[in-house]
Amino acid sequence: MPESPLNLQAIARETLLRYGFLVEPPPAAQAQADKLVEPSFPQPSIKDLSDWLWSSIDNDDSRDLDQIEYLESTGNESRLYVAIADVSALVPKDTALDQAAEHNTTSLYTGLRMVPLFPEKLSCNLTSLLEGQKRLAVVTEMRIASDGRVLGSSIYRAVVQNHAQLTYNAVAAWLTQQTPDATPITDRMLEKIRSNPALQTQLRGQDALAQNLRRLRVEAGALTFETIELRPTPRPDGSWELKAGVPNAATRLIEDFMIAANQASVAYLQAQGSPTLQRVVRTPKNWPRIVELAAPHGVTLPAAPDAKALEDFLAQQRIKDPDHFPDLSLSVIKLLGRGEYVVAEPGVNASGHFALAVEGYSHSTAPNRRYPDVITQRLLKAALDHQKPPYSVEELALLAQHCTEKEDDANKAERSVHKCLAAAAMTHQIGQTFNGFITGSSDKGVWVRLVQPPVEGKIEGATKDLAVGDRVVVKLIATDPLRGYIDFNVITRG
């Protein structure tokens, strides 16, 4: 079958528009961005911490850097500093830029194009914590015991400077002493680390601290997953390669630090009598199916939802069957249900985050990429200045619902575009068989995800008794890149 001359860029644009997203900044927002200049730094209430050896860890192609880290270790405790880009300093509430960001609520990543939450002059320049640039930031300082217990935290504004812009792939390779994929970016990053002993000390200390933070969360019942993320990558000849992105030591390090910082944000706001916009994952309604999923592995989970028992099962399977653990992770994640934003009035905690085993958890560490983080940053800065919160509880409740809905729309739109890319990439494999597992089952149909490449499609034909988590062997029978359809027949089950 000849390759269809699809305009995939047009498909991505039309998909985002169909879900109600702005794909370009409105004229008023762009005009506001065009007038922005570097903010002035010499303010008496703002600390100058730009001489510290701050570093960032992000994707190879990231330019919208939200956070940098610095660690001090003294005796039996450490001080971890997480600096978050002060986006709200350049984006006042209710301005054209703010209204456009509120509409989308998130940056959009389709694999073909990235639609930033704010115009690139902000997100990739003036509010990005780029290497060698002084920037305004909101700093969370945490005192952490040697066993990973957070002893206390404080929040303040500061001037910071990123002295080492690093990547996940390079940092993970250096920490684990494993041979990375040979790319020019990774080679440059590794040379940066190897030539700087002080930076090496920072990374070793940060990795050890992150592991302690993670261990305590796991002991409290946090769930540890390992999912595979589809990353369509263009080849020189114009075709697409379906690469898989997996967690590594560096992605886990940043995740652990951001969870701690997000908890500290809520704690600070609650101490100041401020309402909070929190992120929750409620106790799963699909727990009986999770119990069924564990049974074939010889594990009997309690009848009532129990995060610690579930984590013990996941940890056992990670060791016992590492090759299929990402598949199991995805099945459990889908059965747990989506995260959502909720509002907690002063002095009240939301229902908590079942998967992280934490209460009082916000999104506050990525204001260049997520609008809820901008909201929380404004709440924090108002509390720091002893001012009235910039949002009422009623306003926050409406924003929480809107942000949850748009996040769902973003996930659907991004999946839709990825399916178009995957269908285009797999057209020449029609008739081949693949190992997979069931990821969705409803009145609308049954869906399967392949182990390799990690793409998802619909099961045609007999689907009776197929449930989420079941393993199958399927045959690719049809693709439709224009609509993103990938269709399979089940060959064998179990």
Side-chain angles (χ1 to χ4, degrees), residues 287 290-303 306 309-310 313 316:
W287 182 259
I290 296 177
V291 174
E292 293 177 9
L293 198 63
H297 299 279
V299 174
T300 302
L301 293 176
D306 186 324
L310 178 56
F313 163 61
Q316 177 190 92

Side-chain angles (χ1 to χ4, degrees), residues 6-64:
L6 288 175
N7 186 338
L8 292 171
Q9 290 284 355
I11 290 175
R13 179 184 177 87
E14 290 166 5
T15 301
L16 295 177
L17 290 171
R18 187 170 72 249
Y19 280 95
F21 289 103
L22 301 171
V23 296
E24 303 290 348
Q30 188 61 58
Q32 182 183 346
D34 291 342
K35 294 177 182 177
L36 290 174
V37 296
E38 292 273 4
S40 57
F41 295 131
Q43 301 179 37
S45 62
I46 297 180
K47 301 181 180 183
D48 187 350
L49 308 180
S50 58
D51 288 339
W52 292 4
L53 184 53
W54 297 95
S55 62
S56 64
I57 310 175
D58 216 310
N59 294 312
D60 285 9
D61 56 355
S62 292
R63 296 184 296 139
D64 52 344

Side-chain angles (χ1 to χ4, degrees), residues 195-362:
S195 64
N196 191 332
L199 180 58
Q200 295 175 21
T201 300
Q202 278 288 313
L203 293 176
R204 288 194 192 96
Q206 290 181 22
D207 182 49
L209 179 62
Q211 291 186 46
N212 285 334
L213 290 169
R214 191 181 320 129
R215 178 181 52 78
L216 281 187
R217 286 205 325 278
V218 170
E219 289 176 356
L223 306 179
T224 54
F225 298 112
E226 184 175 304
T227 57
I228 295 175
E229 178 185 353
L230 179 65
R231 292 182 179 172
T233 305
R235 294 189 179 101
D237 63 1
S239 63
W240 289 84
E241 180 181 2
L242 302 177
K243 289 187 175 181
V246 296
N248 59 37
T251 60
R252 287 188 284 267
L253 183 160
I254 294 300
E255 178 184 12
D256 294 325
F257 284 1
M258 296 310 108
I259 291 171
N262 285 324
Q263 287 183 270
S265 294
V266 170
Y268 180 82
L269 289 172
Q270 289 177 328
Q272 301 302 313
S274 172
T276 54
L277 179 64
Q278 297 189 27
R279 179 73 173 177
V280 304
V281 171
R282 302 183 189 277
T283 301
K285 296 179 181 179
N286 288 323
W287 182 259
R289 177 54 192 151
I290 296 177
V291 174
E292 293 177 9
L293 198 63
H297 299 279
V299 174
T300 302
L301 293 176
D306 186 324
K308 186 66 173 66
L310 178 56
E311 170 56 21
D312 289 344
F313 163 61
L314 292 171
Q316 177 190 92
Q317 289 305 119
R318 185 186 300 106
I319 297 171
K320 186 177 179 181
D321 191 1
D323 291 340
H324 290 96
F325 184 69
D327 309 341
L328 176 65
S329 292
L330 182 61
S331 297
V332 173
I333 288 171
K334 284 180 173 283
L335 291 168
L336 286 178
R338 69 176 189 177
E340 58 186 295
Y341 295 102
V342 299
V343 177
E345 297 188 36
V348 177
N349 248 336
S351 59
H353 197 299
F354 183 85
L356 297 178
V358 298
E359 293 186 355
Y361 176 76
S362 69

Side-chain angles (χ1 to χ4, degrees), residues 37 43 91 120-121 161 164 218 242 251 260 313 458 463 476:
V37 296
Q43 301 179 37
V91 184
E120 288 193 359
K121 183 177 178 181
Q161 180 171 315
V218 170
L242 302 177
T251 60
F313 163 61
K458 190 176 183 181
T463 60
L476 178 63

